[in-house]
Amino acid sequence: MNSFLDIHTTEKSELRGMIESARRMKEARNGRPKGAPDDELPLKNRMVALIFEKPSTRTRVSFDLGVRQMGGQTMVLSGTELQLGHGETIADTARVLSRYVDLIMIRTFEEATLQEMAEYADVPVINGLTNRTHPCQIMADVLTYEEHRGPIAGKKVVWSGDGNNVCASLIQAAGQFGFDFTFTGPAALDPERVWMDFAREQGVAAEIQRDPAKAVAGADLVVTDTWVSMHDPQSAKERRHNQLRGYQVNKKLMAHAKPDALFMHCLPAHREDEVTSAVMDGPHSVVFDEAENRLHAQKAVMRWCLNV
């Protein structure tokens, strides 16, 4: 049984296989209507539980549609419906759901919730996001980069802003896919040292550069994310803006990257905060290809989990 919990805990060869599987499935659709089934129906007669403690647009739609395209059915559950860890222990919820469904995707707050769900479930569990990591997003990002520019191995990827959960998974991916990583942002928002150490142990460069212009120099890919969460109080939002204003991705910053560099953002974006519309809608941006590729990458992850 394969659970997809984090990029650094999944074998490199398995990650590469998922990227190739996603590419093949995307190409095989050949522009057919979005709701049309795939030629193959690997999830036929399979039921997938999609649990959302945190609200979502891309994760919900892409997982739901992906299951349907592959012939399966979904059961979408909110955290309030399940009362995870309140009305019933997470372990017991995992045991019960395992009697009903073939696969569980959970988008939650605490990493411990994900880990406990995976420990006690008798079916595979997919990390749809936690406060600490977001592996499905980065699988889509790798797919997107390679779709446009070929192999990501050996390239320079720069993260500008807050060393958050998406950043954490990107650093893990640097080690697993073999690209160099540079973080630029305020020291108070540095990514966890354990992820930087992991990437270095895999033989790639992983560094912190406070000067964003120097960080982006020669970059093949520049990535950012929103500075604030919808759950942050107003005081925290104001503090984040003050900390991160100098790390906005704008045309001036992108000019330091390679001429053919790409720009990514996992969305939703707060335009004119972490990134300007000139960059979001400009020639470097592949953000909407990136959003679409959540669908294809996650279909590959689900097939890998179920070995179908």
Side-chain angles (χ1 to χ4, degrees):
M1 184 176 72
N2 297 318
S3 285
F4 186 69
L5 304 183
D6 270 313
I7 287 176
H8 75 295
T9 57
T10 307
E11 292 292 334
K12 295 178 183 181
S13 60
E14 303 291 339
L15 294 167
R16 174 50 60 189
M18 284 182 251
I19 296 295
E20 298 307 318
S21 173
R23 181 183 293 113
R24 288 193 298 270
M25 284 189 287
K26 182 176 182 179
E27 292 172 352
R29 290 197 61 81
N30 287 324
R32 70 181 67 187
K34 301 298 188 294
D38 291 349
D39 292 330
E40 296 181 78
L41 296 177
L43 266 59
K44 185 177 181 180
N45 299 323
R46 305 279 188 144
M47 177 63 72
V48 180
L50 306 177
I51 302 173
F52 292 93
E53 278 202 294
K54 294 187 79 168
S56 165
T57 298
R58 275 150 295 279
T59 300
R60 175 165 180 166
V61 174
S62 56
F63 266 108
D64 198 351
L65 180 57
V67 173
R68 293 166 188 259
Q69 287 181 350
M70 294 191 292
Q73 298 184 63
T74 60
M75 179 182 297
V76 181
L77 302 165
S78 71
T80 55
E81 290 171 316
L82 293 178
Q83 297 184 5
L84 281 173
H86 301 293
E88 181 177 58
T89 67
I90 295 164
D92 285 351
T93 299
R95 293 182 178 107
V96 170
L97 286 177
S98 297
R99 301 297 180 100
Y100 299 143
V101 304
D102 301 287
L103 177 65
I104 298 169
M105 187 288 301
I106 181 168
R107 180 179 171 95
T108 187
F109 293 92
E110 300 302 323
E111 183 183 46
T113 302
L114 168 75
Q115 296 294 340
E116 188 171 353
M117 181 71 71
E119 180 179 354
Y120 289 96
D122 293 324
V123 298
V125 174
I126 295 173
N127 177 359
L129 173 143
T130 71
N131 286 347
R132 198 176 186 207
T133 60
H134 195 1
C136 288
Q137 178 63 55
I138 300 307
M139 293 297 285
D141 292 358
V142 172
L143 175 63
T144 305
Y145 184 88
E146 296 196 340
E147 202 171 55
H148 285 268
R149 296 289 185 265
I152 197 169
K155 302 301 183 181
K156 179 180 178 180
V157 177
V158 178
W159 178 279
S160 183
D162 176 13
N164 64 10
N165 53 354
V166 185
C167 179
S169 289
L170 186 62
I171 301 169
Q172 294 173 12
Q176 298 293 65
F177 287 97
F179 57 85
D180 294 332
F181 175 85
T182 299
F183 172 83
T184 187
L189 299 176
D190 277 354
E192 290 183 54
R193 182 173 177 176
V194 65
W195 306 136
M196 299 292 279
D197 289 344
F198 170 80
R200 292 171 185 140
E201 288 165 4
Q202 307 310 305
V204 299
E207 63 179 28
I208 293 175
Q209 169 56 255
R210 300 296 173 207
D211 184 327
K214 291 180 180 178
V216 170
D220 297 285
L221 171 62
V222 178
V223 191
T224 192
D225 193 6
T226 179
W227 291 344
V228 297
S229 167
M230 66 183 75
H231 306 286
D232 290 340
Q234 186 59 37
S235 59
K237 292 178 180 180
E238 292 173 0
R239 184 172 65 253
R240 286 294 187 93
H241 277 81
N242 291 334
Q243 288 175 306
L244 289 161
R245 191 168 288 115
Y247 297 95
Q248 181 190 70
V249 180
N250 49 41
K251 290 180 71 174
K252 182 178 179 181
L253 185 63
M254 287 301 298
H256 294 279
K258 288 182 179 177
D260 65 344
L262 299 181
F263 168 76
M264 293 189 193
H265 189 306
C266 69
L267 303 180
H270 296 150
R271 289 170 179 255
E272 316 313 326
D273 283 350
E274 72 270 11
V275 59
T276 61
S277 290
V279 172
M280 275 276 291
D281 301 324
H284 299 285
S285 177
V286 290
V287 297
F288 298 110
D289 291 341
E290 181 187 6
E292 178 191 343
N293 282 338
R294 286 287 300 278
L295 168 66
H296 309 296
Q298 288 162 185
K299 286 168 69 175
V301 170
M302 288 187 281
R303 292 190 69 168
W304 176 78
C305 286
L306 292 169
N307 194 27
V308 293

